[in-house]
């Protein structure tokens, strides 16, 4: 159980640190943004508290120092400087290393010492800000266990720690009931810190319940007897509120409900009690005829406790105050949409997809046997099963889809550090971060994108002095763009640098013996030479480039994803690397076709139409030629010739018109069979080097069909001289 709790802590801490990096890079661009400053403080505060709770004292102690620095910044005592950003980024990396078990006391001491030096000029100012007013100090002294009243309604208004709820913000009022486990103090958890964190999110009314406190002689110091109601008006979401309690044990009770504070609600005490489910509507109506206040009646009849009454009254007063403030500001606070989510292991999702794939294959066999048996009942059940499996497949695939922005954010730090090392001024701009891809595809995209971004920063963007001399903006720009294209996603890595130097690339290829001197080579072929193993145009080896390792890895990794990479470059203006990646590597919709005795699958997303094959020059036996389709010139590849299939020729053939993003082409086949849900399987050793194939699938009868790679077949046409 403890290992599972620790695993949750590590996952959450890693997610927080990833968010922290993005916040810090944004803060470097907007050093006075109070929202970002507060968000950084809150992340440090959360990591400090949770690491201390789980016994990671070294992490908690170190994070406390960073938190203290941002507390001073948050309070307006110290400014955000480049040194602060740099040091906090280093601290973030250090905390990440500590989570991985690399505890370096020397590095912790160095970073803490540098933070103290940065903050030392502001120490006196910070102490003045932190000192409580005399009235608060007195109240704290008097608040001893022997003087705790039965209920203590406290009103506290503060600025939200990550999203200040200024006038005009979308605010929601939440009713939060927090009953800690009696044993919550045993592992070092401090409920008071959670209450404090909630009050920092917005306008909060805190009601403390003390009825379970036994006589002093029976009190166990390590047992928690308290409970709280918190009425919170904030711009934070329910999930962000739940995150405050994320590391609580299972026996603690947390209940978070949205409170309707719309203009047509009267906020009468009886309605609040009914809304809280303390009493029913029938009970309320039976007491309304009495002259005595409804609250007193209910307490006298022991229908509610005095604590419940005080809590409801506090909520009533809180809502009145919030409503009045809204009216003064002429702003509305709409109900927030309640969203719930659970954390699921990625391994379980992978298993689910595998099982769905098996179901797809099973259903194909069932459908085939139903057709052979010609049994109406079996055919109906097969069709119903197919609909259910398709729905299950779509839901399972949706669960594995993640926004590509989950890796885009990582590259901001990469560009930031590389630009600093190379003394360049470079901005990373991202577009389409919400574009979704299968998680397995996203995981495999990380390394190729790193290489390509490093290439753009190193080779693409000029130095500040060179850009000024060319009349360009001193700040270079690298763009990372994602967009959907049917069953594929286009990822474009674009820079506004000098563009690829064709002459230099060609000369390097000649020097390496890759190209014979004097041969006429197209621009596209020259650009693609940078993907050759060991190829580099760098004049000297550096920590970033010059070893000829990187772009060939990109080509290999993208090809392994059944994707393509192309290059567009304009001298003096920049270079675009365009990746075309399939949405998923698991299941696709395909069309079965037959060539000879073999069965093949063409991805349905690439198909435009099917038509009868009528070659203009008869059967010339060439792999590539052309036909006229609907009045347009159309190149085609004869798959019989390409795969060297020698089975008897049928009386007629068909051509499937497909697109490869840039153009259309025809694939000549013997027969089109029909649609098929295709579970993609990797190719065996026999076929893995055959150009034009991307995978295989098992059909309903147990036979294997090969999946055609439209993009590689398109390349065959592009590099083959066609006969007109």
């Amino acid at each position: 159980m403890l290992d599972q709790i620790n695993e949750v802590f590590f996952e959450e801490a890693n997610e927080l640190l990833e968010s922290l990096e993005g916040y810090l890079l944004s803060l470097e661009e907007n050093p006075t943004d109070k929202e970002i400053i507060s968000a950084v403080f809150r992340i440090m505060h959360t990591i400090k508290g949770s690491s201390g709770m789980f016994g990671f004292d070294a992490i908690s102690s170190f994070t406390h120092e960073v938190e203290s620095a941002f507390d001073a910044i948050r309070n307006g005592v110290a400014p955000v400087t480049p040194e602060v950003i740099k040091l906090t980024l280093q601290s973030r990396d250090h905390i990440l290393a500590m989570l991985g078990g690399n505890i370096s006391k020397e590095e912790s001491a160095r970073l803490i010492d540098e933070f103290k030096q940065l903050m030392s000029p502001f120490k006196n100012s910070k102490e003045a800000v932190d000192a409580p007013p005399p009235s608060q100090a007195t109240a704290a002294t008097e608040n001893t266990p022997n003087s705790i009243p039965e209920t203590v309604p406290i009103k506290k208004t503060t600025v939200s720690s990550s999203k200040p709820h200024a006038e005009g913000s979308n605010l929601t009022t939440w009713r939060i009931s927090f009953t800690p486990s009696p044993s919550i103090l045993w592992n070092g958890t401090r409920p008071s810190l959670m209450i404090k964190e909630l009050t920092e999110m917005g306008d909060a009314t805190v009601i403390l319940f003390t009825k379970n406190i036994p006589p002093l002689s029976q009190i166990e110091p390590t047992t928690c007897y308290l409970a709280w109601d918190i009425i919170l008006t904030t711009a934070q979401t329910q999930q962000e509120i739940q995150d405050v309690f994320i590391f609580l044990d299972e026996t603690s009770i947390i209940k978070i409900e949205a409170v309707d504070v719309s203009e047509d609600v009267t906020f009468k005490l009886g309605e609040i009690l009914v809304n809280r489910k303390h009493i029913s509507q029938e009970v309320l109506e039976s007491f309304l005829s009495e002259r005595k206040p409804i609250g007193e009646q209910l307490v006298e009849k022991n229908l509610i406790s005095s604590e419940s009454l005080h809590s409801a009254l506090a909520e009533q007063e809180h809502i009145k105050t919030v409503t009045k403030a809204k009216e003064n500001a002429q702003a509305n606070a709409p109900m927030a949409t309640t969203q719930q989510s659970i954390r699921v292991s990625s391994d379980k999702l992978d298993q689910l997809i595998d099982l769905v794939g098996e179901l797809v294959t099973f259903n194909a066999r069932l459908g085939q046997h139903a057709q052979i048996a010609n049994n109406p009942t079996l055919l109906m059940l097969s069709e119903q099963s197919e609909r259910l499996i398709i729905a299950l497949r779509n839901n399972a695939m949706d669960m594995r889809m993640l926004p590509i922005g989950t890796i885009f954010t990582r590259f901001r730090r990469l560009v930031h550090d590389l630009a600093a090392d190379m003394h360049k001024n470079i901005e990373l701009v991202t577009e389409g971060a919400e574009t979704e891809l299968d998680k397995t595809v996203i995981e495999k995209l990380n390394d190729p994108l790193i290489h390509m971004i490093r290439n753009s920063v190193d080779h693409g963007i000029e130095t500040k002095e060179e850009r000024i001399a060319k009349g360009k903006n001193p700040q270079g720009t690298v763009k990372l763009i994602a967009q959907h294209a049917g069953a594929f996603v286009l990822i474009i890595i674009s820079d506004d640098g000098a563009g690829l130097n064709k002459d230099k690339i060609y000369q390097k290829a000649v020097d390496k013996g890759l190209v014979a001197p004097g041969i006429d080579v197209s621009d596209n072929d020259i650009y693609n030479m940078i993907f050759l193993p060991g190829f580099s145009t760098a004049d000297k080896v550096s920590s970033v480039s010059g070893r000829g390792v990187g772009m060939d890895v990109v080509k290999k990794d993208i090809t392994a994803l059944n994707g393509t990479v192309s290059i567009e470059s304009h001298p003096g203006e920049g270079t675009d690397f365009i990746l075309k990646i399939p949405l998923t590597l698991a299941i696709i919709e395909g069309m079965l076709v037959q060539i000879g005795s073999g069965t093949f699958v063409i991805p349905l997303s690439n198909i435009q139409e099917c038509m009868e094959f009528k070659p203009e020059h008869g059967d010339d036996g060439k792999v590539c030629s052309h036909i006229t389709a609907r009045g347009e010139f159309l190149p085609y590849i004869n798959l019989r010739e390409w795969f060297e299939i020698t089975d008897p020729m049928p009386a007629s053939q068909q051509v499937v018109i497909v697109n490869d993003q840039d153009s259309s082409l025809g694939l000549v086949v013997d027969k089109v069979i029909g649609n098929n849900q295709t579970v993609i399987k990797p190719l065996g050793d026999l076929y893995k080097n055959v150009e034009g194939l991307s995978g295989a699938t098992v059909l309903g009868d147990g036979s294997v069909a090969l999946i055609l790679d439209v993009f590689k077949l398109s390349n065959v046409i592009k590099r083959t001289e066609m006969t007109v």
Side-chain angles (χ1 to χ4, degrees), residues 1-125:
M1 179 64 182
L2 184 59
D3 290 340
Q4 292 177 346
I5 295 175
N6 283 347
E7 184 178 344
V8 171
F9 162 70
F10 286 127
E11 288 180 1
E12 293 294 335
N14 278 282
E15 288 180 6
L16 288 170
L17 289 173
E18 187 168 335
S19 299
L20 176 64
E21 185 174 82
Y23 280 130
L24 289 171
L25 295 173
S26 297
L27 189 59
E28 186 175 43
E29 300 170 0
N30 304 285
T32 59
D33 192 314
K34 293 182 179 179
E35 292 189 17
I36 301 177
I37 292 171
S38 296
V40 172
F41 171 81
R42 187 178 176 214
I43 288 175
M44 289 300 179
H45 176 75
T46 303
I47 293 176
K48 181 195 75 172
S50 57
S51 58
M53 182 190 306
F54 289 98
F56 300 100
D57 295 335
I59 298 176
S60 180
S61 176
F62 173 77
T63 309
H64 173 72
E65 297 297 332
V66 187
E67 178 198 23
S68 298
F70 270 87
D71 190 30
I73 294 171
R74 184 180 63 147
N75 289 321
V77 174
V80 174
T81 63
E83 292 77 14
V84 168
I85 297 295
K86 180 181 178 181
L87 197 56
T88 310
L89 283 170
Q90 292 177 3
S91 300
R92 177 260 181 200
D93 295 342
H94 182 54
I95 296 171
L96 192 61
M98 295 172 82
L99 287 170
N102 184 13
I103 308 295
S104 171
K105 294 182 179 179
E106 294 78 12
E107 181 67 4
S108 295
R110 179 188 73 81
L111 292 169
I112 289 173
D113 184 60
E114 290 192 25
F115 262 117
K116 287 181 176 179
Q117 290 181 25
L118 275 177
M119 294 294 114
S120 59
F122 314 104
K123 183 178 180 181
N124 293 335
S125 299

Side-chain angles (χ1 to χ4, degrees), residues 452-585:
M452 302 187 83
I453 290 173
R454 287 165 66 98
N455 185 76
S456 293
V457 171
D458 185 22
H459 296 290
I461 304 293
E462 311 96 329
T463 64
K464 180 179 178 181
E465 294 74 19
E466 289 173 333
R467 293 180 67 86
I468 292 175
K470 294 178 180 179
K472 301 171 74 171
N473 188 331
Q475 183 183 60
T477 301
V478 174
K479 288 185 178 181
L480 198 52
I481 304 168
Q483 59 192 44
H484 281 293
F488 294 82
V489 166
L490 296 182
I491 301 175
I492 303 169
I493 303 93
S494 173
D495 67 70
D496 64 348
L500 294 180
N501 189 326
K502 293 187 296 183
D503 295 336
K504 189 172 184 178
I505 295 173
Y506 179 78
Q507 189 57 47
K508 281 281 184 178
V510 171
D511 294 343
K512 289 179 174 289
L514 301 173
V515 179
I519 292 181
D520 187 22
V521 183
S522 68
D523 290 352
N524 190 58
D525 288 340
I526 292 177
Y527 295 152
N528 282 316
M529 289 176 184
I530 67 174
F531 294 117
L532 296 173
F535 192 92
S536 175
T537 58
D539 296 323
K540 61 180 180 179
V541 175
S542 69
S543 60
V544 178
S545 62
R547 301 184 186 275
V549 179
M551 297 306 286
D552 62 319
V553 175
V554 169
K555 184 77 170 181
K556 180 180 178 181
D557 289 347
I558 298 303
T559 302
L561 288 172
N562 296 328
T564 61
V565 54
S566 57
I567 304 173
E568 294 180 2
S569 185
H570 306 281
E573 297 179 9
T575 303
D576 295 342
F577 291 91
I578 304 166
L579 311 182
K580 187 170 185 178
I581 309 296
L583 283 171
T584 178
L585 302 179

Side-chain angles (χ1 to χ4, degrees), residues 659-719:
N659 65 75
D660 69 342
Q661 177 195 345
D662 299 324
S663 58
S664 297
L665 64 144
L667 302 179
V668 178
V669 300
D670 290 354
K671 181 182 179 181
V672 173
I673 300 174
N675 291 0
N676 178 265
Q677 286 190 70
T678 303
V679 180
I680 302 175
K681 302 291 185 181
L683 288 169
D685 292 340
L686 181 62
Y687 293 100
K688 67 180 182 180
N689 294 321
V690 178
E691 188 175 14
L693 301 178
S694 62
T697 188
V698 179
L699 301 178
D701 60 359
S703 63
V704 175
L706 300 174
I707 302 172
L708 297 177
D709 189 325
V710 171
F711 304 101
K712 291 179 181 176
L713 291 173
S714 174
N715 289 336
V716 171
I717 290 181
K718 290 177 181 178
R719 68 168 183 258

